[in-house]
Amino acid sequence: MCIRTLSTIGNGKTDQALRRSYLYVPTSSDRMLDKSLSTPSDVIIYDLEDSVPPSAYDKESARQRLSTFLSRTPEHKLPHPQRIAVRLNDITTPFFENDISEVLKSPFVRTLVLPKIHSVRDLHHVSRAIRTSRAGISTPFPIRLVASIESARSAWNLGEIASWTSEYDPDVGGKLGALLFAAEDYCADTSVLRSSSRLELLYVRSQITIAAKAFGLDAIDMVRSVTTTDLDYLKDECEDGRRLGFNGKQAIHPTQVDIIQSTFVPSEKEILRAAKILHQMEVAHSSQKGAVGLEMEGGGKEMIDAPMLKQAENIMRVAKAAGLQIPVID
């Protein structure tokens, strides 16, 4: 087997949009809005909820500030619409209806982050509001919905939430695209005491990734909010989240973005192994074999079959989307 020089495939420009980092940007600050134009974060969440004081004046001011920012910033300076998301105030607040109607006036908003989604009833409520807000507007794309899992009730209803579909056409009522874990809210609701080991959150985090993957959704891991400066711990938490099956992670400070994005991609070693698996399976299938042995580093062979082929294909898909170097195996 000969491994030719590593090559970069597609320069990261593929049909699969990477959504590794979700950076929250407070809409209460013009300065923070302007800074968001230069962030490399895969997704930028313009936040109307927790980062804005709870008074009606502050909520309305933030909403109008975001609307002005999206309408007056030259289109070529704005992030690509695939990267723009807005976190609304939840459906039980007096701000939700105005949030969604104002936000969806912008053609650049394609994703809504929905806090406190406890059941499919909440998603239906949002879907009807989307339909009302977009009445008479012809758009060739559905609004992508990100459901925030942040309570015992939402964790209990994970399967139903993940399998939800709008009662309308997706272009009219929206389409669920991801589950997001709001760890601090979940801990407050369940009396779970969060620790640096993360063991107390292993069950719910695993359940979120399982539910998401069962229905073709992204899974977004929790914020590292205890401290924004402990980047070594952030790296460890990112690696942990990726092992559990999360696609990406939330960030509350720009310094967290690079670590998140560099961790939620395959390593060079993983890519090389995947390339070898794909090559060996191609050879095996051409010889009408269903499995093949892959030489291991320490000697011996590892049996490779269909499930491992699927994992290798997943690794390659993400690697190509990230513009990582792909070895060509002869």
Side-chain angles (χ1 to χ4, degrees):
M1 180 184 297
C2 174
I3 303 174
R4 286 192 266 144
T5 304
L6 294 176
S7 60
T8 300
I9 305 296
N11 297 318
K13 297 179 179 179
T14 71
D15 291 337
Q16 175 172 323
L18 284 181
R19 300 184 181 96
R20 299 160 293 181
S21 59
Y22 287 70
L23 176 66
Y24 288 97
V25 174
T27 54
S28 54
S29 166
D30 287 319
R31 182 179 66 86
M32 297 301 289
L33 288 173
D34 289 338
K35 284 185 66 175
S36 74
L37 298 176
S38 59
T39 178
S41 183
D42 288 337
V43 180
I44 304 162
I45 303 177
Y46 293 106
D47 186 25
L48 295 173
E49 195 210 17
D50 282 351
S51 66
V52 178
S55 74
Y57 173 80
D58 286 311
K59 292 292 187 182
E60 291 165 8
S61 297
R63 184 191 308 123
Q64 188 55 54
R65 187 176 292 105
L66 175 60
S67 179
T68 301
F69 170 76
L70 292 174
S71 62
R72 293 186 179 177
T73 303
E75 183 175 348
H76 70 277
K77 290 187 177 181
L78 283 172
H80 189 280
Q82 282 190 329
R83 298 176 60 214
I84 295 176
V86 177
R87 180 163 71 170
L88 310 175
N89 290 283
D90 79 79
I91 63 173
T92 66
T93 68
F95 314 115
F96 169 76
E97 298 293 342
N98 287 336
D99 281 355
I100 199 166
S101 63
E102 183 66 32
V103 162
L104 292 184
K105 290 178 182 178
S106 172
F108 305 114
V109 177
R110 307 282 174 89
T111 300
L112 298 179
V113 178
L114 309 171
K116 298 177 176 57
I117 295 299
H118 303 300
S119 68
V120 294
R121 182 181 303 173
D122 297 337
L123 288 171
H124 282 307
H125 183 98
V126 173
S127 181
R128 291 167 191 148
I130 291 172
R131 179 175 180 263
T132 299
S133 298
R134 301 179 91 191
I137 301 175
S138 177
T139 52
F141 58 86
I143 295 297
R144 181 175 183 264
L145 305 180
V146 176
S148 185
I149 306 302
E150 49 189 272
S151 67
R153 188 176 164 212
S154 59
W156 187 263
N157 292 326
L158 266 172
E160 292 182 358
I161 291 171
S163 64
W164 174 84
T165 56
S166 174
E167 57 198 333
Y168 312 110
D169 182 274
D171 286 351
V172 175
K175 183 177 181 179
L176 189 63
L179 301 180
L180 175 150
F181 182 38
E184 294 298 330
D185 295 277
Y186 175 82
C187 288
D189 185 68
T190 58
S191 300
V192 167
L193 300 179
R194 188 172 177 180
S195 71
S196 59
S197 74
R198 301 180 295 270
L199 288 176
E200 66 283 346
L201 297 175
L202 177 60
Y203 174 78
V204 67
R205 290 167 76 210
S206 298
Q207 288 293 97
I208 288 171
T209 58
I210 291 168
K213 300 310 169 69
F215 295 97
L217 309 176
D218 285 347
I220 309 162
D221 203 7
M222 57 194 179
V223 166
R224 174 57 182 165
S225 59
V226 177
T227 172
T228 60
T229 57
D230 190 349
L231 299 184
D232 289 336
Y233 183 89
L234 174 64
K235 176 75 172 178
D236 180 68
E237 194 168 89
C238 289
E239 291 173 346
D240 179 43
R242 183 168 174 257
R243 284 192 296 269
L244 288 176
F246 284 98
N247 302 91
K249 189 174 183 66
Q250 301 160 77
I252 57 171
H253 194 277
T255 58
Q256 298 175 330
V257 170
D258 285 344
I259 288 178
I260 292 173
Q261 295 193 168
S262 63
T263 307
F264 278 92
V265 290
S267 66
E268 184 175 320
K269 185 176 180 180
E270 289 172 327
I271 295 170
L272 177 58
R273 171 179 158 81
K276 289 180 179 179
I277 289 173
L278 293 175
H279 174 76
Q280 290 289 80
M281 287 301 289
E282 183 179 356
V283 172
H285 289 168
S286 66
S287 303
Q288 297 183 327
K289 296 179 182 179
V292 67
L294 182 69
E295 293 181 2
M296 300 175 67
E297 287 185 0
K301 287 191 175 183
E302 179 182 11
M303 187 58 65
I304 305 298
D305 55 12
M308 297 182 77
L309 174 62
K310 182 178 180 180
Q311 184 76 296
E313 290 171 340
N314 290 337
I315 287 172
M316 282 303 200
R317 185 163 52 250
V318 175
K320 290 178 180 179
L324 300 179
Q325 292 181 315
I326 307 296
V328 181
I329 312 295
D330 287 333

